[in-house]
């Protein structure tokens, strides 16, 4: 190994492991092998971030020969994460590393940018550090790339720069500027020059992909100094430096309010973004020539259009996607539309095809293809020869395990509303009289969709039917479906979750005495809160990193800039008490098993500890397993395997299997 990257100097805290998990738990609990992948501008090499051991990562490079991936950099296991690495030239990579530090009980995240050659040499930090002796604040963000083409000369990028003011006593050299600007940085020579001076409260810069910043977002503050709920966007006409008003976007956990810009198309001199169309999210395009002409580009009458398809170093917008039963796409680029159809025929068993990266001229395309019963594999497609080559498998540990299929279904809620969801049945089962699990998703501003799901697949492999409901409070189905969100409208959301369990029983899929509920994050909250509406429905509860007290969740954000947004999202009123499982522990009859990482910044571990204590005080059966040094995702193969194994053993014991 050439080098170890350890930019932050944080020590590894080992995970606790309490036994040897089963073969299935190890296979499904293993982190995805491919954690990031990038194609070089000349299309001749890939840089791949691969999982290394339980928690670590390796940055590797391959030239598509028969030799294995060549490791060039090892992440500091357990303390740092390589978020991404992308080529800036045929020989030079730019990467972002992140770390979370526990400072006097506050979990604080930091990022830093660095560059490295494809052979592992020339490692240099790109983030400019403040003078620690005079700095009046800490620099959490080490910058982000907003344009990968830089000035077009090769090897340069446009990168944000966070300015930290310094004490001026005794010196004339101190920096007195604050806010976020943009620098042109040469990743080879490390030379840099400012192209956007720092501005306070800047939330976003959007370039045109060919070296010019065209859109800027400014997020104000509340009277208490927290981040406000409105971003004011400005734009520049082509070739000009002055800013003009584009519009305002009000932040919301569902779809928000107003036009949310995402990407500038320099050929059309317009910005693509999202806005409301008859209560659902749609793609619009606004001209940046001064007219601000707004055009509806893609909408769906039934669901939100939720993403743009972008490819290459310029991040060119080529289409948009949405999910009904399965994900669909509309390509704006005729050549790619034709290619997508051809690829669907060439790889018929892997219908989920996503363009991941492209060479500088977009003649070589890196793509990923997957399905519900295949976690996916990466391919390289050459437009000139129409040759398709398989590069890597995403999860080789599952290569010899037959996976279950996922079927889109709908079921009727108590008020007659048809709720969409996905049913996964064990391979070879009759689909009747099975032990069954309802698995609500996290968020609540999220949704499940058709495709590979390692958690659902594990339980299906262990013989359970798994139903994943997109209850009201999920995103993707418009404003009316989202309601006030899954906390303020918890009775509707949890009612839909419980109705999923009743449907499994009514259809004869679930044995009524062997029905359980399993959830992560908001899903864990839903699993625990389900008893508030029907304590007799589920016979066992597994909650991973669950929210258990809405007031505690609110207070966890009080020292962070997003507190005002979280406060508004949770709201005030009787639902805070009535909708908090920890305050209604006496209602729970089923045994409870919880898992939580003690470095979880999304939902603090104190919430699971509080739930455990409240259940014990009420004389209930409960166990909490804590993982040291892990965050909300439990991104550790050993910890995940242990979690799966213990959850399976707990469910079998609780359900009498």
């Amino acid at each position: 190994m050439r080098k170890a990257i350890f930019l932050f100097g944080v020590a590894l805290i080992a995970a606790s492991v309490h036994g040897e998990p089963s073969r299935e738990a190890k296979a499904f609990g293993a982190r995805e092998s491919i954690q990031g992948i990038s194609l070089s501008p000349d299309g001749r090499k890939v840089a791949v971030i691969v999982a290394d051991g339980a928690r670590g990562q390796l940055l590797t490079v391959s030239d598509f020969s028969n030799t294995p991936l060549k490791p060039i950099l090892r992440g500091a296991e357990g303390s740092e994460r390589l978020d991404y690495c992308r080529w800036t030239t045929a020989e030079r990579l730019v990467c972002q590393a992140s770390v979370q530090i526990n400072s006097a009980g506050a979990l604080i995240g930091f990022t830093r940018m660095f560059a490295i050659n494809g052979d592992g040499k020339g490692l240099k930090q790109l983030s400019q550090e403040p003078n620690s002796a005079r700095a009046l604040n800490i620099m959490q963000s080490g910058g982000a790339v907003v344009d990968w083409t830089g000035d077009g000369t090769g090897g340069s990028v446009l990168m944000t720069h966070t300015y930290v003011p310094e004490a001026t006593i005794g010196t004339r050299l101190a920096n007195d500027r604050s806010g976020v600007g943009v620098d042109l940085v040469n990743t080879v020579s490390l030379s840099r020059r400012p192209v956007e001076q720092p501005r306070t409260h800047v939330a976003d810069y959007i370039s045109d992909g060919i070296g010019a910043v065209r859109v800027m977002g400014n997020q104000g503050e509340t009277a208490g100094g927290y981040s406000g709920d409105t971003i004011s966007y400005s734009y520049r006409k082509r070739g000009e430096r002055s800013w003009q008003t584009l519009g305002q976007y009000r932040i919301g956990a569902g779809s928000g309010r107003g036009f949310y810009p995402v990407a500038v198309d320099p050929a059309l001199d317009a910005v693509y973004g999202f806005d409301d169309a008859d209560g659902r999210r749609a793609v619009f395009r606004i001209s940046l020539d001064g007219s601000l002409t707004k055009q509806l580009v893609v909408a769906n009458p039934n669901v939100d259009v939720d993403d743009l398809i972008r490819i290459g170093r310029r991040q060119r917008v080529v289409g948009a996607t949405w999910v009904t039963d399965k994900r669909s796409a509309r390509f704006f680029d005729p050549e790619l539309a034709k290619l997508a159809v051809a690829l669907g025929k060439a790889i018929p068993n892997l219908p989920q095809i996503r363009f991941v990266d492209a060479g500088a001229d977009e003649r070589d395309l890196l793509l990923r293809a997957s399905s519900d019963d295949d976690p996916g594999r990466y391919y390289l497609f050459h437009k000139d020869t129409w040759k398709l080559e398989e590069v890597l498998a995403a999860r080789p540990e599952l290569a010899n395990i037959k996976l279950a299929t996922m079927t889109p279904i709908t079921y009727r809620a108590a008020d007659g509303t048809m709720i969409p969801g996905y049913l996964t049945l064990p391979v070879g089962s009759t689909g009747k009289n099975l032990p069954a699990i309802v698995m609500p998703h996290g968020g609540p501003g999220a949704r499940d969709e058709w495709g590979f799901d390692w958690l659902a697949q594990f339980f299906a492999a262990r013989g359970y039917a798994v139903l994943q409901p997109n209850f009201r409070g999920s995103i993707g189905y418009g404003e009316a479906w989202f309601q006030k969100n899954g906390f303020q409208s918890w009775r509707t959301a949890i009612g839909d979750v419980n109705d999923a369990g009743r449907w499994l029983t009514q259809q004869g899929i679930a044995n009524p005495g062997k029905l359980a509920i399993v959830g992560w994050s908001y899903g864990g909250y839903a699993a625990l809160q389900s008893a508030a509406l029907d304590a007799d429905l589920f016979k066992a509860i597994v909650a991973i990193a669950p929210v258990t007290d809405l007031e505690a969740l609110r207070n966890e954000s009080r020292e962070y800039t997003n507190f005002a947004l979280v406060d508004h999202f949770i709201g005030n009123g009787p639902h805070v008490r009535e909708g908090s499982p920890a305050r209604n522990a006496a209602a729970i009859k089923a045994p409870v098993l919880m898992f939580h990482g003690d470095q979880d910044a999304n939902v603090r571990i104190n919430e699971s500890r509080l739930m455990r204590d409240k259940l014990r005080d009420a004389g209930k059966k409960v166990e909490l397993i804590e993982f040291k040094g892990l965050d909300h995702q439990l991104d550790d193969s050993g910890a995940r395997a242990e979690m799966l194994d213990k959850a399976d053993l707990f469910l079998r014991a609780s359900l009498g299997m």
Side-chain angles (χ1 to χ4, degrees):
M1 205 53 50
R2 300 293 180 95
K3 293 181 178 69
I5 177 171
F6 203 77
L7 299 179
F8 302 101
V10 181
L12 169 67
I13 305 174
S16 58
V17 179
H18 305 288
E20 189 67 19
S22 67
R23 180 182 69 90
E24 291 93 342
K26 288 181 178 179
F28 286 98
R31 297 177 300 150
E32 185 167 323
S33 295
I34 311 304
Q35 303 199 341
I37 187 167
S38 175
L39 183 66
S40 63
D42 59 7
R44 296 181 179 179
K45 295 190 289 291
V46 285
V48 188
I49 301 173
V50 299
D52 178 34
R55 300 189 191 182
Q57 294 173 302
L58 282 176
L59 174 59
T60 65
V61 171
S62 171
D63 60 1
F64 299 110
S65 64
N66 292 326
T67 57
L69 293 169
K70 178 183 178 182
I72 64 169
L73 189 72
R74 167 170 278 131
E77 182 172 339
S79 62
E80 284 186 12
R81 177 174 178 81
L82 286 172
D83 299 320
Y84 62 81
C85 289
R86 293 193 63 189
W87 299 91
T88 58
T89 70
E91 303 298 333
R92 193 75 165 156
L93 289 154
V94 165
C95 305
Q96 182 183 82
S98 61
V99 70
Q100 181 175 270
I101 294 175
N102 191 325
S103 176
L107 298 173
I108 304 174
F110 294 83
T111 63
R112 293 295 183 265
M113 304 288 295
F114 65 92
I116 188 171
N117 292 339
D119 61 2
K121 299 178 181 178
L123 175 64
K124 299 291 184 181
Q125 181 166 311
L126 298 179
S127 302
Q128 282 202 316
E129 299 286 353
N131 186 314
S132 59
R134 295 197 300 263
L136 299 176
N137 204 343
I138 59 174
M139 187 180 80
Q140 289 183 250
S141 172
V145 175
V146 298
D147 193 311
W148 289 91
T149 64
D151 59 0
T153 60
S156 63
V157 296
L158 291 182
M159 180 179 141
T160 59
H161 178 181
T162 300
Y163 288 76
V164 176
E166 300 170 355
T168 58
I169 298 174
T171 180
R172 295 183 178 181
L173 302 177
N175 172 57
D176 60 358
R177 295 175 293 176
S178 65
V180 180
V182 177
D183 292 350
L184 176 67
V185 181
N186 187 297
T187 63
V188 179
S189 68
L190 301 187
S191 65
R192 63 197 308 139
R193 65 174 175 84
V195 297
E196 299 292 340
Q197 294 301 318
R199 294 175 174 85
T200 57
H201 310 313
V202 167
D204 200 9
Y205 287 107
I206 302 175
S207 86
D208 59 3
I210 54 174
V213 176
R214 297 290 304 277
V215 175
M216 176 179 66
N218 190 297
Q219 185 175 3
E221 288 187 350
T222 67
Y226 297 112
S227 297
D229 66 356
T230 301
I231 302 178
S232 298
Y233 283 98
S234 305
Y235 78 99
R236 283 186 176 126
K237 291 182 182 180
R238 179 182 288 157
E240 295 187 3
R241 293 293 299 170
S242 61
W243 292 103
Q244 300 188 38
T245 299
L246 178 62
Q248 289 189 332
Y249 174 76
R250 187 172 181 182
I251 300 169
S255 58
R257 293 286 188 277
F259 180 73
Y260 180 73
V262 175
V264 173
D265 187 320
L268 298 175
D269 196 18
V271 58
Y272 284 98
F274 296 95
D275 205 342
D276 176 80
D278 298 325
R280 290 180 174 80
R281 196 182 195 204
V283 176
F284 288 82
R285 189 171 59 221
I286 296 180
S287 298
L288 300 181
D289 58 2
S291 68
L292 294 182
T293 302
K294 188 175 183 180
Q295 177 184 357
L296 175 64
V297 180
V298 182
N300 186 290
N302 301 311
V303 297
D304 296 332
V305 181
D306 60 8
D307 202 7
L308 293 175
I309 305 171
R310 306 173 68 181
I311 66 167
R313 289 168 55 78
R314 297 182 179 182
Q315 286 293 281
R316 185 168 67 93
V317 176
V318 297
T321 70
W322 62 89
V323 184
T324 50
D325 287 344
K326 298 180 181 179
R327 184 163 290 277
S328 301
R330 176 183 165 189
F331 286 92
F332 311 150
D333 184 303
E335 184 182 20
L336 285 174
K338 178 182 176 182
L339 175 58
V341 173
L343 289 171
K345 294 178 181 179
I347 323 173
N349 296 324
L350 301 174
Q352 285 188 326
I353 296 175
R354 178 172 62 89
F355 294 105
V356 177
D357 205 353
D361 58 5
E362 296 184 9
R363 305 308 300 169
D364 298 301
L365 300 176
L366 185 66
L367 58 97
R368 177 174 178 167
S370 63
S371 70
D372 57 338
D373 59 358
D374 191 314
R377 46 202 80 228
Y378 291 88
Y379 294 86
L380 185 63
F381 178 77
H382 306 278
K383 281 186 179 180
D384 293 336
T385 61
W386 275 67
K387 182 180 179 182
L388 184 68
E389 302 175 80
E390 183 172 343
V391 179
L392 292 165
R395 288 180 176 265
E397 299 87 355
L398 300 177
N400 298 318
I401 298 178
K402 185 171 179 57
L403 301 179
T405 57
M406 175 187 280
T407 304
I409 60 96
T410 58
Y411 64 91
R412 191 178 301 277
D415 63 1
T417 303
M418 298 305 296
I419 310 297
Y422 298 93
L423 178 65
T424 303
L425 297 175
V427 174
S429 76
T430 62
K432 297 296 181 182
N433 200 36
L434 297 169
I437 292 170
V438 174
M439 188 180 294
H441 60 71
R447 60 154 295 162
D448 280 315
E449 65 177 280
W450 186 88
F452 175 80
D453 185 309
W454 63 273
L455 201 57
Q457 285 287 346
F458 167 76
F459 286 114
R462 298 297 295 157
Y464 302 88
V466 181
L467 176 55
Q468 296 168 270
N470 279 325
F471 47 87
R472 281 168 286 185
S474 305
I475 62 170
Y477 298 92
E479 183 179 348
W481 193 266
F482 184 72
Q483 300 202 344
K484 290 182 179 179
N485 72 53
F487 290 129
Q488 295 193 42
S489 301
W490 75 267
R491 290 185 183 276
T492 301
I494 305 304
D496 290 349
V497 170
N498 285 1
D499 286 336
R502 296 187 185 97
W503 181 84
L504 284 169
T505 301
Q506 293 163 1
Q507 297 298 309
I509 297 170
N511 180 324
K514 293 180 170 57
L515 182 64
I517 185 166
V518 177
W520 199 316
S521 193
Y522 179 87
Y525 162 86
L528 294 166
Q529 187 64 7
S530 65
L533 295 182
D534 189 342
D536 297 313
L537 180 62
F538 298 112
K539 311 306 179 185
I541 298 170
V542 176
I544 308 163
V547 172
T548 71
D549 187 277
L550 298 186
E551 195 59 49
L553 182 65
R554 187 201 317 276
N555 288 328
E556 287 164 20
S557 296
R558 195 170 293 276
E559 301 303 320
Y560 297 87
T561 58
N562 69 338
F563 172 71
L565 299 174
V566 174
D567 180 52
H568 178 74
F569 183 76
I570 293 172
N572 292 279
H575 73 275
V576 173
R577 176 181 56 80
E578 296 166 356
S580 294
R583 303 190 188 198
N584 298 277
I588 296 177
K589 295 181 180 180
V592 174
L593 175 62
M594 294 183 290
F595 301 91
H596 217 131
D598 71 352
Q599 299 302 303
D600 189 338
N602 295 57
V603 182
R604 300 302 297 269
I605 194 171
N606 290 341
E607 294 206 39
S608 283
R609 291 170 178 168
L610 174 65
M611 190 74 211
R612 176 198 59 197
D613 295 345
K614 292 292 186 181
L615 286 168
R616 283 178 177 173
D617 291 345
K620 310 297 181 175
K621 185 177 180 181
V622 59
E623 182 181 4
L624 169 61
I625 296 175
E626 300 184 10
F627 293 105
K628 293 187 179 299
L630 292 183
D631 63 12
H632 196 63
Q633 305 304 324
L634 301 181
D635 194 23
D636 179 304
S637 296
R640 287 186 175 185
E642 180 186 351
M643 178 186 72
L644 294 178
D645 194 56
K646 287 187 176 296
D648 181 37
L649 292 172
F650 166 79
L651 291 175
R652 290 178 181 278
S654 301
L655 303 179
M657 296 169 59

